[in-house]
């Protein structure tokens, strides 16, 4: 049977960009930018995207396209002897766990779409918005209903296949998203006092930048591009062999970044124009912004459009998360797409329940000191995700080899790719090192390591570094000699 796949250039770009553009761009990026002092943080973020994000995205794309398989099957096809396919299983597990709570947050957004469209949200007094939001997410039944709705919509699209589902709906939803975004941007920058917000966003103040901010930028670059969980890999397997992968990855990366910046341009000028707090954190879109809309002429209309925008961005991401799991189950367990999708969506709903309840009746139930939502988020985002990314780099850099990857990037020499050396160095060394640092930091181990290094005497440290360099040089020359001896 012929494998399903994307049928047009625009379709595959819309699908991949749809995955990358999500709550991370419109919800998280603006608020972490706000917390880390604005423009300086954005500059660092751009470097992370270009230097680490883009090369890993290309690697995932070519792994999928070369093998024409799902996340686990892909590793198996290239290296069948060793258990590298477990990396694929890890990726699928990560996508599954993330989707279980991503759908819940998307459900909050759905609830806000309904409430703003019916005019209820706009009627809430600004000082009541905090408790209004708190009441919704802690109520149990309502967030469950909306999580179910998100999963059902996603499943209906995924069930129709890649070309007739994922691609078809991405092609409709992404232009709609851009249209709404542009409209809201115009509204926001024409408010009186908007320039302060733009200044905040685009005038760098490096004194506000901290090491923590830099690491957060790096981690977010990873998340925002949907890397490390087999998504781009799976979508890559639906891309035709004659498509230019470098160009595609570049387009997705640019689209993701531009949309995140546009979301910033929607949010900050409005927040500043009404004298509100830019560093509110996660509650920025649910509590701060409704207060902005409440003051604005025709606020209810803009409010509804804004939450619709976030809802669309979230659904094109949930589609990609579900597709990773569905592709894995249909191909590895020989199940029909319909059966697999229904089964997976149902399992996801069950898994979302503990997260939902941790904002209400189960808020006191903790494992390792975390409620269920925090626990799932921590396991998936802080442990599985960096590990998945690290394994992809090691696999492409050292097992499959960057030569093979570059051959696939150029479609076997059809396209020119001038950055082979840079790409190889990044995938083999820079990206793995960066990921290890993100990982150590998110586990809270980095500061401990730095402190213990600081406490060691410089003499000792110096000699350790020299010894390490000598050892590596010796190992490399030994390996080269062995190669020559073995012909
Ligand atoms: N990249 C998406 C965003 O920015 C998040 C996401 C992560 C989507 C992982 C799918 C998978 O919101």
């Amino acid at each position: 049977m012929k494998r399903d796949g994307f049928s047009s250039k625009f379709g595959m770009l819309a699908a991949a960009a749809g995955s990358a553009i999500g709550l991370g761009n419109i919800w998280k990026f603006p608020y972490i930018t706000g917390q880390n002092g604005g423009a300086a943080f954005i500059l660092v973020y751009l470097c992370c995207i270009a230097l680490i994000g883009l090369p890993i995205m290309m690697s995932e794309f070519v792994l999928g396209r070369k093998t024409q398989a799902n996340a686990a099957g892909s590793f198996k096809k290239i290296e069948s002897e060793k258990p590298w396919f477990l990396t694929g299983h890890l990726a699928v597990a990560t996508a599954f766990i993330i989707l279980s709570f991503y759908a819940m947050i998307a459900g909050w957004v759905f609830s806000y779409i309904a409430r703003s469209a019916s005019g209820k949200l706009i009627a809430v007094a600004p000082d009541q918005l905090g408790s209004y939001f708190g009441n919704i997410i802690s109520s149990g039944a309502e967030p469950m209903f909306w999580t179910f709705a998100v999963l059902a919509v996603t499943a209906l699209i995924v069930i129709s296949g890649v070309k007739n589902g994922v691609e078809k709906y991405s092609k409709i939803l992404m232009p709609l998203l851009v249209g709404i975004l542009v409209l809201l941007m115009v509204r926001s920058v024409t408010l009186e006092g908007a320039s302060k917000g733009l200044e905040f966003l685009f005038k760098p103040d490096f004194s506000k930048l901290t090491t923590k901010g830099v690491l957060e930028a790096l981690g977010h670059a990873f998340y925002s591009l949907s890397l490390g969980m087999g998504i781009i890999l799976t979508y890559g397997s639906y891309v035709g062999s004659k498509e230019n992968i470098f160009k595609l990855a570049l387009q997705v990366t640019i689209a993701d970044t531009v949309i995140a910046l546009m979301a910033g341009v929607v949010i900050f000028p409005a927040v500043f124009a009404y004298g509100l707090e830019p560093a509110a954190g996660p509650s920025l879109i649910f509590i701060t912004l409704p207060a902005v809309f409440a003051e604005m002429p025709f606020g209810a209309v803009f409010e509804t459009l804004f939450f619709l925008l976030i809802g669309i961005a979230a659904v094109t991401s949930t589609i990609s998360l579900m597709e990773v799991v569905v592709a894995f189950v249909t191909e590895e367990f020989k199940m029909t797409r319909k059966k697999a999708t229904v089964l997976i969506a149902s399992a996801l709903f069950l898994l979302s329940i503990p997260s939902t309840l941790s904002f209400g009746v189960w808020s006191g139930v903790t494992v390792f000191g975390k409620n269920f939502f925090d626990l799932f988020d921590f396991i998936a985002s802080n442990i599985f995700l960096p590990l998945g990314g690290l394994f992809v780099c090691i696999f492409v850099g050292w097992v499959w080899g960057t030569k093979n990857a570059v051959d696939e990037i150029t479609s076997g020499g059809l396209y020119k790719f001038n950055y082979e050396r840079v790409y190889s160095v990044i995938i083999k060394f820079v990206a793995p090192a960066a990921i290890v640092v993100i990982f150590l930091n998110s586990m809270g181990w980095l500061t401990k390591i730095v402190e213990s290094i600081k406490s060691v005497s410089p003499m000792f440290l110096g000699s350790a570094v020299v010894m390490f360099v000598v050892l590596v040089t010796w190992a490399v020359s030994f390996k080269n000699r062995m190669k020559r001896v073995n012909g």
Side-chain angles (χ1 to χ4, degrees), residues 21 23 60-62 77 89 118 169 175 187 197 225 227 264 282 284 298-299 311 315 386 417 432:
I21 297 163
L23 295 169
E60 280 204 31
F61 264 134
V62 287
K77 278 198 179 166
H89 288 213
S118 66
Y169 288 95
R187 169 67 282 197
L225 293 176
L227 301 173
L284 186 68
F298 302 106
V315 167
F417 178 61

Side-chain angles (χ1 to χ4, degrees), residues 65-201:
R65 189 178 66 179
K66 174 79 191 172
T67 54
Q68 294 291 299
N70 65 81
S74 175
F75 289 92
K76 222 184 312 183
K77 278 198 179 166
I78 289 178
E79 170 59 276
S80 54
E81 307 275 297
K82 303 212 181 81
W84 272 101
F85 63 88
L86 289 176
T87 301
H89 288 213
L90 179 76
V92 174
T94 314
F96 189 80
I97 299 173
I98 289 193
L99 182 48
S100 76
F101 60 78
Y102 199 91
M104 172 190 76
I105 298 176
W108 299 348
V109 175
F110 272 35
S111 147
Y112 264 53
I113 297 174
R115 282 160 196 271
S116 47
S118 66
K120 277 194 206 131
L121 184 58
I122 205 82
V124 180
D127 61 340
Q128 296 299 311
L129 280 163
S131 57
Y132 184 77
F133 176 58
N135 286 340
I136 295 174
I137 64 172
S138 63
S139 69
E142 193 188 326
M144 266 184 227
F145 168 77
W146 290 114
T147 308
F148 183 84
V150 170
L151 289 170
V153 169
T154 309
L156 281 176
I157 294 174
V158 169
I159 230 169
S160 316
V162 179
K163 188 164 107 238
N164 297 323
V166 178
E167 179 177 353
K168 184 171 144 195
Y169 288 95
S170 303
K171 270 165 47 182
I172 302 170
L173 292 173
M174 293 315 286
L176 192 61
L177 176 136
V178 174
I180 298 177
L181 200 56
V182 170
L183 196 89
L184 290 174
M185 231 167 75
V186 172
R187 169 67 282 197
S188 187
V189 295
T190 49
L191 289 168
E192 204 165 321
S195 59
K196 268 208 235 105
L198 290 174
E199 203 170 282
F200 174 79
L201 204 55

Side-chain angles (χ1 to χ4, degrees), residues 19-25 102 223-226 229 231 317 320-321:
S19 170
I21 297 163
L23 295 169
N25 302 59
Y102 199 91
Y223 182 81
S224 188
L225 293 176
S226 301
M229 57 191 103
I231 292 185
S317 294
S320 70
L321 285 161

